[in-house]
């Protein structure tokens, strides 16, 4: 059962694989430059990232080799394991940047919420598959929401708003493909969006209380006008301003690796993690940035093709869950660096520095390849 | 199954469409930032990282005519610290404080300075050390421990220094921080907020001049270093460095040795006089080159020391500068007007010889006062005096007589030709006063206003009084009576006004008498008097006084040589001038009022002079005992080179006060003091 059937390997979509490798390569290429002003050893972060990729490859081979349908037997266990893991981080986790999202194991710091996303994709795929054709009315939606409610609540307790939103995005993407009533779903998304905007407006206009701290609210709305962050662009708007200046000043062709003044002189903070796209924008220009976005788009397209040819709905939903996660990460991450989205701390998949996300993504990649290999036979 | 496949395909198409829309919006925003607005963001990015740090230029020196440095810039060690943002900044500060070991330098002081410093990329100046043995020791110690003191910088910065202290202080002026108005005025020359600019004297007038489309002057051009800084405003590297260009040197017509001789003599004499009259303490004097108008020496007492304004002593000496009376603020050679007293008599004399046909040999009799009212007194009973004796003994009676004969119009005509009562137009100096030459027109204009005002007020009071009375009148008869009374009083007032007006505004004979002897309303600056004497001495050429001889570039090239400028040639016959000169020579001859001053001068250096003693005309002064001492002279009499004019306030007699200053000047100029010195030396060795 762990042996990979060589016949199955022929089924692998190599364009998809090359696409992933290309994105990883961009990440590895930009990382020394992005971390040059953070550490004196330019290869320090690259080394760690490469190790994460290497371990990720091993995990990927593992997840690709077992038939994904066996996993369905363990979804209950996985779901409980996920919740236990999220409780553990709340109890023994380490707080970094105001969020208790990390578990320290010696020199390693793991971020359980990254793995949690993958587990939720698998579990929810199973959950939805069993309810196929039964997502017509609002009350059919409620079990889905409840299914996500507990882990989402635990994530928000850290608090990790970024991951929480990723959960919502995954859920919506999967529900859409899972056959949910389109009108109802888009009505809910639109309504939720309007409710969110209205409550923030009411908060400022009438002092309506919100379960968010002032700086969290400012981070959410500062992208609209970063100079009006209450501190003349030195508060919540600072990141956005500096990131836009970095990307904008990169122009068409960029300033060249290691030559972006915004990055190398530290005007832009956190540029090797959440704001790595600003480094790409400044040093590689519009050509580099657009190329990376097109690589991601192509990746999603291939994933959708894989989903289309999956053997069963469980496989389809896993692939869509994963691709929804990637799309949302790219949208929010790139969006915040160019002032299109609120500043929500989520990384750029395969590119931002961070081992946990890399491992989780590689695991998911393994699953997709798994589904890809075991696709339905195409009748000739 | 096939049915659900199709449905899946449909939803996945929708899914893909949403994804494409998301990516397209990201791409278009990216395109907008990086292609459409790239230029604007590039500018913002450069604003972030590039800072300009200005480096001050060395100011040009001011030299006297012989190349002595009167104002220069001395290197001062500025010890500064750059905020490197390192964690052991505090340690570095503590070490530095320990090494420097100065009571005013404490860690708290340094930290406070760093906190108040906004431009973090610029070093924060901790202290300025003037060049001294102790300073060198501190510098050496810091250099030795350079490695323990990252960010500590020692820079040599120029600071203005006036080696001669208060000598010529009023002429040189001083520099100071630029004011808001100056900043506005000199906007096009690129001054900055913290710049130093000449505030007064030569420092101000030679700050910058446009000569053949080139800006030259004491001020140099600042250098600029373009620095790249990081997000914490700490310097990363130099991008461009333009070194500063030093300022131009300015050579004056002044002779510092004469200036010293003049000021020493003034100090000595003023101190003596102050013992007798506490109101004394002030004076002004000028020496001109009679053939060019070049100012060789010019002094005002009490003096100012320009160093006080650059090294911070000014604050300590604020009482000296602003509370003491008489104060040092004004330049008394330029900005104070003094009655000329008898030094004016040559004007009257020249007018009389030239226009009234007075024969210098004709004698009149002085009985101690003029024979016409108001019988203005003479110093003495001079008996029979001719023109020469009249000048020599300064006979008031004689000059009142000839003044009356020639008339005020002619006196004014001559005085004007010699530049009295007008600005000399001197270049390179601070603003000068105009003085006052009294004329009938002037009197009528000035007095008519005051008389009119006085009577207008009286008339109004009268009307007011009667209006009140009339309002209280009970009967028609009473009202009529009051009206008649008012009319009478008004008529009487009108009559009085006419008499008063006539008297006050008309020029009376006694006005001429007073003017003839330099009293009355005559008021001139010392510079005007000096220029009048210089004009007289050189045979009638009135030059425009000036102070700057030339401007020399930092590499020694003369960029501008100033030429003497002729204002006017007086239209007086040579005979008249010669006769009057003989009179002035008689002043220093036996029997003359200044004989005792120059009797030891060699034959070939004959001094022509005139003493003056003038009522101060100041409120609160006693016209019988408070006199300014005035003295004018030139030498050598037969071939004049230099002219002198000086006023010692409350000096009582011109000869014994300002005359002594003239003596010191001539001794210095003609090298006559050697004998005195050698004698002194001989005494010392014995």
């Amino acid at each position: 059962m762990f042996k990979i059937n060589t016949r199955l390997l022929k089924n692998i979509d190599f364009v998809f694989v090359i696409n992933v490798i290309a994105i990883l390569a961009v990440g590895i290429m930009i990382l020394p430059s992005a971390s040059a002003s953070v550490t004196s050893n330019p290869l320090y972060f690259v080394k760690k990232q490469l190790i994460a990729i290497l371990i990720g490859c091993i995990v990927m081979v593992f997840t690709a080799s077992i038939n994904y349908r066996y996993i369905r037997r363990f979804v209950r266990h996985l779901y409980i394991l996920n919740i236990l893991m999220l409780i553990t981080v709340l109890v023994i986790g380490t707080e970094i940047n105001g969020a208790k999202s990390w578990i320290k194991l010696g020199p390693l710091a793991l971020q359980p919420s990254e793995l949690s996303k993958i587990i939720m994709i698998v579990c929810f795929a199973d959950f939805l598959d069993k309810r196929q054709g039964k997502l017509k009315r609002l009350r059919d939606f409620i079990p889905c929401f409840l299914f996500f409610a507990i882990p989402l609540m635990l994530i928000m307790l850290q608090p990790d708003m970024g991951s929480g939103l990723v959960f919502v995005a995954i859920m919506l993407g999967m529900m859409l493909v899972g056959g949910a009533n389109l009108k109802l779903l888009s009505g809910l998304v639109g309504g939720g969006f309007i409710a969110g905007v209205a409550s923030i407006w009411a908060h400022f206009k009438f002092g309506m209380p919100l379960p968010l701290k002032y700086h969290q609210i400012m981070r959410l709305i500062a992208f609209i006008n970063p100079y009006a962050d209450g501190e003349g662009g030195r508060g919540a708007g600072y990141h956005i301003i500096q990131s836009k200046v970095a990307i904008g000043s990169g122009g068409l062709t960029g300033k060249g690796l290691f030559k972006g003044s915004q990055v190398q002189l530290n005007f832009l903070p956190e540029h090797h993690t959440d704001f790595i796209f600003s480094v790409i924008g400044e040093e590689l220009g519009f050509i580099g940035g657009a190329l990376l976005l097109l690589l991601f788009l192509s990746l999603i397209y291939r994933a959708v093709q894989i989903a289309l040819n999956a053997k069963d709905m469980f496989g389809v939903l896993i692939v869509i869950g994963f691709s929804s996660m990637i799309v949302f990460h790219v949208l929010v991450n790139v969006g915040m660096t160019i002032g299109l989205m609120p500043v929500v701390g989520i990384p750029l998949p395969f590119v931002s520095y961070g081992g946990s996300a890399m491992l989780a993504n590689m695991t998911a990649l393994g699953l997709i390849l798994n589904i890809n290999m075991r696709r339905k036979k195409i009748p000739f | 199954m096939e049915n659900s496949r199709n449905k899946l395909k449909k939803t996945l198409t929708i899914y893909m469409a949403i994804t494409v829309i998301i990516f397209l919006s990201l791409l278009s925003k990216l395109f907008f930032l990086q292609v459409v607005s790239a230029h604007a963001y590039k500018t913002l990015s450069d604003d972030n990282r590039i800072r300009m740090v200005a480096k001050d230029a060395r100011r040009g020196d001011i030299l006297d005519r012989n190349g002595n440095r009167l104002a220069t810039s001395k290197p001062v060690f500025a010890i500064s610290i750059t905020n490197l943002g390192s964690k052991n900044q505090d340690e570095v500060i503590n070490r530095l404080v320990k090494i420097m070991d100065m009571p005013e330098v404490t860690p708290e002081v340094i930290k406070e300075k760093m906190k108040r410093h906004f431009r973090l990329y610029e070093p924060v100046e901790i202290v300025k050390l003037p060049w001294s043995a102790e300073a060198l020791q501190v510098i050496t110690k810091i250099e030795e421990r350079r490695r323990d003191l990252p960010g500590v910088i020692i820079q040599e910065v120029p600071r203005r220094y006036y080696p001669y202290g208060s000598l010529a202080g009023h002429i040189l002026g001083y520099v100071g921080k630029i004011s808001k108005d100056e900043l506005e005025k000199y906007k096009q020359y690129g001054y900055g907020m913290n710049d130093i600019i000449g505030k007064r004297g030569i420092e101000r007038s030679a700050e910058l001049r446009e000569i053949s489309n080139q800006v030259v002057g004491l001020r140099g051009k600042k250098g600029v270093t373009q620095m790249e800084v990081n997000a914490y405003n700490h310097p990363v590297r130099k991008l461009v460095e333009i070194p500063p260009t030093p300022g131009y040197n300015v050579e004056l017509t002044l002779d510092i040795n004469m200036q010293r001789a003049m000021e020493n003599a003034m100090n000595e004499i003023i101190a003596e006089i102050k013992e007798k009259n506490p109101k004394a303490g002030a004076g002004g004097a000028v020496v001109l080159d009679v053939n060019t108008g070049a100012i060789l020496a010019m002094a005002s007492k009490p003096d100012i020391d320009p160093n006080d304004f650059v090294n911070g002593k000014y604050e300590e000496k604020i009482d000296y500068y602003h509370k003491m009376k008489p104060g040092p603020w004004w330049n008394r050679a330029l900005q104070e007007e003094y009655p000329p007293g008898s030094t004016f008599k040559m004007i009257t004399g020249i007018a009389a010889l030239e226009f009234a046909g007075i024969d210098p040999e004709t004698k009149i009799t002085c009985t101690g006062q003029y024979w016409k009212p108001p019988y203005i007194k003479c110093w003495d009973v001079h008996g029979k005096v001719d023109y020469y004796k009249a000048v020599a003994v300064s006979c008031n009676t004689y000059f009142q007589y000839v003044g009356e004969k020639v008339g005020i119009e002619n006196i004014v005509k001559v005085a004007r030709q010699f530049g009295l009562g007008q600005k000399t137009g001197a270049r390179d100096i601070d603003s000068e006063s105009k003085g006052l030459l009294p004329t009938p027109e002037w009197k009528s204009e000035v007095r008519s206003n005051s008389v009119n005002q006085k009577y207008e007020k009286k008339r109004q009071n009268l009307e007011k009084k009667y209006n009140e009375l009339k309002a209280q009148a009970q009967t028609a008869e009473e009202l009529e009576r009051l009206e008649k009374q008012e009319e009478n009083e008004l008529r009487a007032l009108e009559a009085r006004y006419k008499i008063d007006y006539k008297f006050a505004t008309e020029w009376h004979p006694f006005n001429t008498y007073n003017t003839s002897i330099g009293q009355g309303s005559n008021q001139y600056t010392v510079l005007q008097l000096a220029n009048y004497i210089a004009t007289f001495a050189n045979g009638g050429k009135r030059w425009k006084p000036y102070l700057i001889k030339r401007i020399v570039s930092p590499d020694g090239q003369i960029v501008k040589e100033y030429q003497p400028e002729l204002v006017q040639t007086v239209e007086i016959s040579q005979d008249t001038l010669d006769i009057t000169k003989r009179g002035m020579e008689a002043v220093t001859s036996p029997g003359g009022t200044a004989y005792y001053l120059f009797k030891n001068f060699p034959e070939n250096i004959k001094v022509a002079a005139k003493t003056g003693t003038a009522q101060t005309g100041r409120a609160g002064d006693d016209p019988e005992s408070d006199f300014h001492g005035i003295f004018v002279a030139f030498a050598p009499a037969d071939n004049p080179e230099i002219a002198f004019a000086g006023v010692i306030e409350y000096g009582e007699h011109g000869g014994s006060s300002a005359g002594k200053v003239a003596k010191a000047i001539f001794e210095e100029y003609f090298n006559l003091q050697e004998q005195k010195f050698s004698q002194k030396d001989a005494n010392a060795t014995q």
Side-chain angles (χ1 to χ4, degrees), chain A residues 68-69 309-313 374-377, chain B residues 5:
Chain A
Y68 68 95
R69 275 172 295 176
N309 294 311
K311 200 167 209 166
D312 53 14
M313 202 55 190
R374 293 174 177 85
R375 69 187 185 208
K376 62 162 184 170
K377 289 173 187 74
Chain B
R5 270 288 155 201

Side-chain angles (χ1 to χ4, degrees), chain A residues 90-123:
Chain A
L90 284 178
V91 178
I92 62 157
T94 310
E95 195 175 305
I96 298 175
N97 288 339
K100 220 171 181 181
S101 309
W102 280 266
I103 295 176
K104 278 214 157 161
L105 290 173
L108 294 171
L110 295 174
Q111 213 176 346
S113 52
E114 294 298 336
L115 189 58
S116 174
K117 290 170 191 169
I118 308 301
I119 295 175
M120 283 308 288
I121 289 170
V122 175
C123 295

Side-chain angles (χ1 to χ4, degrees), chain A residues 135-186:
Chain A
L135 291 168
K136 299 299 167 206
R137 289 167 301 174
L138 183 61
R139 73 167 200 219
D140 300 330
F141 284 16
I142 291 168
C144 301
F145 297 159
L146 287 176
F147 190 82
F148 266 92
I150 299 165
L152 187 59
M153 197 187 68
L154 290 170
I155 293 268
M156 290 311 275
L157 279 175
Q158 293 181 2
D160 183 355
M161 187 160 51
S163 294
L165 288 170
V166 174
F167 273 44
V168 175
I170 290 170
M171 181 185 77
L172 292 172
M174 288 173 76
M175 282 173 76
L176 169 71
V177 178
N181 183 329
L182 196 60
K183 277 180 195 160
L184 195 56
L185 195 65
S186 45

Side-chain angles (χ1 to χ4, degrees), chain A residues 242 244-245 247-249 251-252 255 261-262 265-267 281 285-286 293 296 308 310 320 323-324 331 338, chain B residues 5 9 12 15-16 19 22-23 26-27 29-31 33-34 38 41-42 45 48-49 228-231 236:
Chain A
Q242 296 303 339
K244 281 169 85 174
V245 168
I247 293 172
S249 65
L252 187 65
K255 298 175 184 171
S261 59
Q262 286 288 101
L265 302 174
N266 273 321
F267 289 104
F286 178 70
L293 284 178
F296 273 114
L308 193 59
I320 291 305
S323 84
S324 302
L331 169 66
I338 58 179
Chain B
R5 270 288 155 201
K9 206 170 177 178
L12 282 179
Y15 182 88
M16 197 61 216
T19 305
I22 287 172
F23 274 84
L26 289 177
L27 279 167
K29 176 79 183 188
L30 197 62
F31 180 82
L33 283 181
Q34 298 196 282
Y41 283 108
K42 183 109 188 94
S45 155
N48 262 345
R49 72 185 177 101
E228 186 169 62
V229 299
N230 63 15
V236 181

